[in-house]
Amino acid sequence: MIKAIPNQVVCKNCMAKLEYESSDVIQTITKYPNIEFEPDGRWVINGFVKVAHKHIECPICKAKVKL
């Protein structure tokens, strides 16, 4: 069983155990088109969807660690 500890992650590149605070989190927002299928068989773009990605940067290897 994996035990999740809040505010701790492991970098997959260098296997370092990292502790972070809320001020260390980098959030990027990406806009994707909202594609819907209409009953008449057409695909329609209906606006955009915003998706937030959160990560921190490893101080050892400078890799992005996904949260």
Side-chain angles (χ1 to χ4, degrees), residues 28-51:
T28 56
I29 297 176
T30 309
K31 287 175 61 175
Y32 295 104
N34 185 19
I35 301 172
E36 296 179 351
F37 185 71
E38 297 246 331
D40 60 354
R42 295 183 301 132
W43 292 98
V44 178
I45 296 176
N46 186 12
F48 289 91
V49 177
K50 293 181 181 178
V51 178

Side-chain angles (χ1 to χ4, degrees), residues 4-64:
I5 301 172
N7 298 340
Q8 283 189 353
V9 292
V10 175
C11 178
K12 290 183 180 179
N13 288 345
C14 63
M15 298 304 290
K17 218 182 255 188
L18 306 173
E19 291 186 12
Y20 65 92
E21 296 178 6
S22 61
S23 61
D24 298 332
V25 176
I26 301 167
Q27 180 174 348
T28 56
I29 297 176
T30 309
K31 287 175 61 175
Y32 295 104
N34 185 19
I35 301 172
E36 296 179 351
F37 185 71
E38 297 246 331
D40 60 354
R42 295 183 301 132
W43 292 98
V44 178
I45 296 176
N46 186 12
F48 289 91
V49 177
K50 293 181 181 178
V51 178
H53 303 281
K54 295 182 180 180
H55 67 275
I56 61 170
E57 186 174 297
C58 178
I60 298 168
C61 65
K62 303 298 183 201
K64 290 182 180 179

